[in-house]
Amino acid sequence: RALAAGPEMHFGFQTVTEAERREKIYQVFESVAKKYDVMNDSMTLGIHRVWKDILMHKMNPSPGTLLLDVAGGTGDIAFRFINYVRSVREHQLQRKLKHHQNLSWQEIFESYQKDKSNSLGDSQVVVCDINREMLKVGKQKAQHLGYSEGLSWVLGNAEELPFDDDKFDVYTIAFGIRNVTRIDLALQEAYRVLKPGGRFLCLEFSHVSNPLLSRLYDLYSFQVIPVLGEVIAGDWKSYQYLVESIRRFPPQEELKAMIEDAGFFKVDYENLNFGIVAIHSGFKL
Amino acid sequence: AHRRHRHREREQEQEQGREQGSGSARPQPPEPSLLRFLVCPLSKRPLRYEEATHELINEELGIAYPIIDGIPNMVPEAARMTRKKPPAEGSEQP
């Protein structure tokens, strides 16, 4: 033990030191960043989009919400958040206008102009990721898709967040917590930066308990996904890691306990697609 | 379904995007809204934006975090020590 560089951990099915694990995971995402979105669509047959939509509907953010999206890399959650609050805001404005029956056209026009410049209703999302390449891809996507207002990008570590205490209304981590080396620290940090009353939401691959489905899922994961990785991204190993890391990740109840250990209350989870994916939720009181 | 009424806004944002896209050509300061939340990841204490070097400085610990391509690099590995620099530069910050 005296000669080891640190405690032994898993990288997929390999045993490595903590430092090695961080380095290897960084390299995986550096390698896949440019093909990340394409691979997500191929591997999940586009279903990951539905999972993320469900997460957003569960969050149901109102305009004015401050969201911290950790491991948010290429921006999928952030963009959905912006679309959602924008849409809610538009409905709010329409309802407001309907009540302005007795105002002159000039007054209505001015009121509309004022609200139009605040189309997000002061909502904000900060995307935090540890990987520069993933953030770069995210930022470029934002520019192409026309997202700029209410959106910021920060390179940071989920285990040691560069944000002040009690700041955010919602904290999300979608398909990211599996890659964190010290999940307990990340959960503690999540708790710290949330406001009292704030919500923690985690979308992550989980465990399928149904034996038949589990076998089919294993077959698909180990036979198809790395091949897709090689064909589409020229990178078998990274997708091998992905599949293995899913198997190594704690199942639903265990993750729930870890979230409770960090201080969250009313922790529960919702299985999607029989547990292939689960959304865990908790509140800071 | 998400509705998109971004036609007018899109042009403005694409122009901004083109400016920012050139990376180090003309560094943009971080948004004030972001500075409100950002602290040093080690000490969790506030930071000061130094325009001259395009960094976020933690005066107490004497470290500076770089802003690269408009993205603050808030990890200790990326920070540098500021102790050897003359203190005079700090005084003109808003």
Side-chain angles (χ1 to χ4, degrees), chain A residues 6 195 205:
Chain A
K195 289 179 190 168
F205 289 108

Side-chain angles (χ1 to χ4, degrees), chain A residues 5-264:
Chain A
E8 299 212 310
M9 328 198 79
H10 56 83
F11 174 75
F13 290 155
Q14 296 172 44
T15 302
V16 295
T17 63
E18 187 171 314
E20 282 174 336
R21 186 176 193 269
R22 291 175 196 278
E23 181 59 35
K24 284 168 116 82
I25 290 174
Y26 193 92
Q27 285 165 0
V28 163
F29 284 92
E30 196 173 44
S31 169
V32 308
K34 294 200 171 80
K35 292 273 166 62
Y36 186 73
D37 292 340
V38 166
M39 273 305 297
N40 283 347
D41 277 335
S42 316
M43 289 189 302
T44 67
L45 307 172
I47 301 173
H48 73 102
R49 296 167 185 239
V50 176
W51 293 332
K52 289 164 183 166
D53 288 344
I54 292 174
L55 177 68
M56 199 47 53
H57 278 90
K58 196 176 174 89
M59 188 194 301
N60 189 22
S62 46
T65 297
L66 256 51
L67 168 66
L68 175 63
D69 180 35
V70 174
T74 58
D76 280 353
I77 302 300
F79 303 152
R80 279 174 171 75
F81 171 78
I82 293 173
N83 291 343
Y84 198 99
V85 295
R86 210 177 247 154
S87 170
V88 172
R89 179 89 177 131
E90 278 168 9
H91 281 123
Q92 277 181 346
L93 294 178
Q94 278 170 18
R95 268 187 308 227
K96 202 169 122 186
L97 282 178
K98 278 206 187 107
H99 288 114
H100 290 176
Q101 298 297 340
N102 296 324
L103 297 182
S104 68
W105 278 115
Q106 182 63 25
E107 286 165 308
I108 295 175
F109 177 76
E110 277 165 3
S111 144
Y112 193 60
Q113 284 298 94
K114 185 164 53 75
D115 291 326
K116 210 57 165 103
S117 63
N118 189 7
S119 67
L120 291 184
D122 294 322
S123 315
Q124 248 190 294
V125 49
V126 178
V127 179
C128 180
D129 200 293
I130 199 169
N131 194 291
R132 175 106 52 83
E133 294 306 313
M134 292 290 281
L135 284 170
K136 264 171 72 176
V137 170
K139 223 167 169 241
Q140 281 165 11
K141 259 171 75 177
Q143 280 168 12
H144 283 129
L145 296 171
Y147 294 99
S148 70
E149 197 193 332
L151 174 62
S152 328
W153 308 84
V154 175
L155 194 149
N157 186 343
E159 298 169 10
E160 204 169 31
L161 290 174
F163 304 107
D164 209 355
D165 300 1
D166 305 319
K167 282 279 173 287
F168 295 95
D169 296 307
V170 187
Y171 171 114
T172 48
I173 184 164
F175 301 114
I177 203 165
R178 197 178 76 250
N179 302 307
V180 169
T181 302
R182 290 285 304 274
I183 296 176
D184 57 331
L185 293 181
L187 292 172
Q188 284 169 31
E189 281 289 87
Y191 190 87
R192 182 181 67 76
V193 303
L194 277 170
K195 289 179 190 168
R199 188 177 198 181
F200 169 87
L201 284 166
C202 170
L203 172 66
E204 188 54 85
F205 289 108
S206 198
H207 283 238
V208 176
S209 45
N210 178 303
L212 174 61
L213 233 51
S214 181
R215 279 214 61 199
L216 288 171
Y217 181 41
D218 280 350
L219 257 165
Y220 181 74
S221 296
F222 287 100
Q223 307 300 331
V224 177
I225 288 181
V227 176
L228 276 177
E230 184 56 40
V231 167
I232 296 177
D235 188 347
W236 173 292
K237 279 165 60 180
S238 292
Y239 288 91
Q240 181 76 20
Y241 162 72
L242 168 78
V243 169
E244 290 176 1
S245 68
I246 293 173
R247 293 298 174 295
R248 285 296 219 139
F249 187 69
Q252 288 86 333
E253 282 294 324
E254 202 177 310
L255 183 59
K256 177 177 175 210
M258 290 171 80
I259 297 170
E260 284 167 341
D261 284 345
F264 289 100

Side-chain angles (χ1 to χ4, degrees), chain B:
Chain B
H2 304 289
R3 282 155 59 208
R4 297 192 171 114
H5 297 275
R6 293 200 302 274
H7 306 287
R8 262 167 294 157
E9 294 162 29
R10 182 170 242 168
E11 281 184 337
Q12 281 181 332
E13 284 154 3
Q14 276 182 349
E15 274 191 357
Q16 280 177 15
R18 253 177 257 129
E19 280 183 349
Q20 287 172 3
S22 47
S24 43
R26 209 176 359 158
Q28 312 255 343
E31 290 161 58
S33 54
L34 182 57
L35 284 179
R36 266 195 291 135
F37 310 130
L38 232 43
V39 296
C40 171
L42 295 170
S43 66
K44 312 301 187 194
R45 306 282 285 144
L47 299 161
R48 181 176 59 76
Y49 174 61
E50 172 60 68
E51 200 169 332
T53 56
H54 210 49
E55 289 172 325
L56 290 160
I57 317 253
N58 177 336
E59 294 287 11
E60 278 179 331
L61 294 182
I63 49 181
Y65 296 93
I67 300 178
I68 301 174
D69 293 333
I71 299 174
N73 274 29
M74 308 305 299
V75 285
E77 303 88 78
R80 69 172 183 86
M81 304 293 291
T82 60
R83 287 289 184 225
K84 297 215 177 102
K85 290 190 72 172
E89 281 172 21
S91 48
E92 52 211 314
Q93 278 308 300

